[in-house]
Amino acid sequence: AKHSGRSTFSWYTPELDSDAQKRKEVEAGLIKALKYDQFRLLYQPQYSLRDGELKGYEALIRWDHPEKGTIKPDVFIPVAEDTGLIQEIGTWVLNRACREAAMWQDQNRRIAVNVSPAQFIAGETHKRVAQALRNSRLDPGRLEIEITESLLISNTEAVIETLREIRDMGVSIAMDDFGTGYSSLSYLSLFPFDKIKIDKSFVQNLGKATSTDAIVTSIIGLGRSLDVTITAEGVETEEQAILLRAAGCDLVQGFMFGRPDSVEKHEASSPVFPFD
Ligand code: C2E
Ligand code: CA
Ligand code: CA
Ligand code: CA
């Protein structure tokens, strides 16, 4: 019978089918999600390790699926990247984040937005950033774009030029997940950036392995000499926070200081600092 065509196919290649099928499902779902406005942004706070002050937030996308509930980005961002839907989703994120941040009570808070390498189009991304700033009237000095090192391995000239354009607007650039992936120190001298985010895999091994402690200390020292701000992500314990502060890390972000949530909630609660 005609309607059994799909199950017959999956009978012969069960794994291939379920994998490909799942991606197709996610892709179709993402198209609907864009159409029916099923995305929202959560915000995770970043605190100064020096004085405990709340400096800003990272925007993290969530997908409220009508049947499956809230879906995390690790599930759908890779599919969005493969299918090209990341362009539209990424533009939505940029615009929404700028618009929301422009309405925050505290106009000193910064807003960090993730831009994936697949989304980053050399020669184009700065135009989208400019447009989001224009639409929202957000002060460019409050916006930060988080990129990963893998962006830097290809298309060097054009990527550098586009990052420069973004910085010329007054927007800052943060290197996310620093120390993982295609990290190479030579990129640091080639690419314009303002901030390094130490990957949580290092942060979470602090105090456990002397090699990790040494790496984190070196990254912080590197940041110092390059005059860039260092943020540690994934800080979960007091011990990690204390070690980071002793090492001279500037900012912290992690479950210990606040999970991704609404800005109103974060503004209403103050985290417990293990210092002074
Ligand atoms: P990321 O940019 O490295 O974001 C940090 C991730 O670590 C977030 O996961 C956050 O919830 C999680 N995290 C924060 N503090 C802690 C902690 O103390 N412990 C642990 N175990 N995890 C912590 P999330 O929100 O699930 O996002 C996962 C990834 O999805 C992000 O990693 C980013 O690469 C991507 N992503 C999220 N939102 C966007 C977006 O709007 N656009 C793009 N292109 N990618 C996004
Ligand atoms: Ca990030
Ligand atoms: Ca990260
Ligand atoms: Ca990551």
Side-chain angles (χ1 to χ4, degrees):
K2 215 173 180 182
H3 76 271
S4 67
R6 222 166 90 177
S7 54
T8 305
F9 178 73
S10 71
W11 177 257
Y12 289 111
T13 53
E15 247 144 60
L16 230 180
D17 182 58
S18 64
D19 229 51
Q21 195 63 41
K22 186 153 184 248
R23 294 178 80 77
K24 279 258 168 262
E25 258 175 53
V26 174
E27 183 184 3
L30 286 174
I31 292 168
K32 277 195 187 157
L34 279 163
K35 191 171 169 196
Y36 297 112
D37 204 22
Q38 293 168 359
F39 295 117
R40 79 192 139 98
L41 296 179
L42 293 181
Y43 295 92
Q44 189 176 31
Q46 300 178 335
Y47 287 91
S48 163
L49 266 181
R50 223 155 283 147
D51 52 14
E53 200 185 320
L54 206 171
K55 293 293 185 190
Y57 297 94
E58 177 178 5
L60 295 159
I61 194 170
R62 294 294 181 270
W63 174 12
D64 293 317
H65 191 282
E67 284 115 41
K68 296 184 169 70
T70 301
I71 304 177
K72 292 212 171 172
D74 288 336
V75 175
F76 64 88
I77 290 290
V79 179
E81 289 174 338
D82 286 353
T83 56
L85 287 167
I86 192 67
Q87 293 311 331
E88 213 177 323
I89 295 172
T91 303
W92 179 89
V93 170
L94 204 47
N95 280 287
R96 173 61 66 95
C98 290
R99 194 150 47 98
E100 292 191 343
M103 296 186 308
W104 290 343
Q105 195 113 51
D106 191 324
Q107 292 285 307
N108 289 314
R109 309 284 197 236
R110 300 167 67 91
I111 172 69
V113 176
N114 291 285
V115 172
S116 82
Q119 172 192 348
F120 191 101
I121 305 174
E124 286 293 324
T125 299
H126 67 283
K127 294 179 191 161
R128 291 181 191 186
V129 171
Q131 187 146 43
L133 287 169
R134 258 200 315 277
N135 292 344
S136 62
R137 306 174 137 264
L138 182 78
D139 169 6
R142 293 176 58 203
L143 179 62
E144 195 167 284
I145 299 296
E146 296 197 359
I147 60 166
T148 53
E149 294 159 282
S150 56
L151 173 69
L152 312 181
I153 55 163
S154 61
N155 228 339
T156 314
E157 296 275 295
V159 168
I160 291 175
E161 184 51 34
T162 301
L163 291 175
R164 256 193 238 295
E165 300 266 9
I166 292 171
R167 271 180 114 209
D168 285 349
M169 295 177 222
V171 174
S172 49
I173 308 282
M175 291 263 219
D176 203 358
D177 302 344
F178 189 80
T180 63
Y182 301 90
S183 96
S184 158
L185 292 178
S186 62
Y187 293 131
L188 290 181
S189 56
L190 278 175
F191 291 87
F193 65 100
D194 309 275
K195 189 180 263 185
I196 286 174
K197 294 187 80 175
I198 306 174
D199 191 68
K200 55 177 173 285
S201 58
F202 296 114
V203 173
Q204 295 182 347
N205 278 314
L206 274 171
K208 288 183 195 153
T210 33
S211 56
T212 306
D213 293 5
I215 289 168
V216 169
T217 305
S218 307
I219 296 174
I220 293 168
L222 187 67
R224 270 279 150 77
S225 36
L226 293 173
D227 199 26
V228 301
T229 305
I230 303 282
T231 305
E233 64 174 24
V235 183
E236 293 184 351
T237 70
E238 196 170 307
E239 186 193 12
Q240 289 160 4
I242 289 169
L243 287 169
L244 287 162
R245 179 151 117 144
C249 182
D250 301 297
L251 300 168
V252 274
Q253 180 182 346
F255 293 168
M256 183 188 161
F257 299 98
R259 289 183 179 253
D261 205 330
S262 75
V263 164
E264 293 70 35
K265 270 208 190 133
H266 289 306
E267 294 289 338
S269 72
S270 44
V272 182
F273 265 79
F275 322 117
D276 38 69

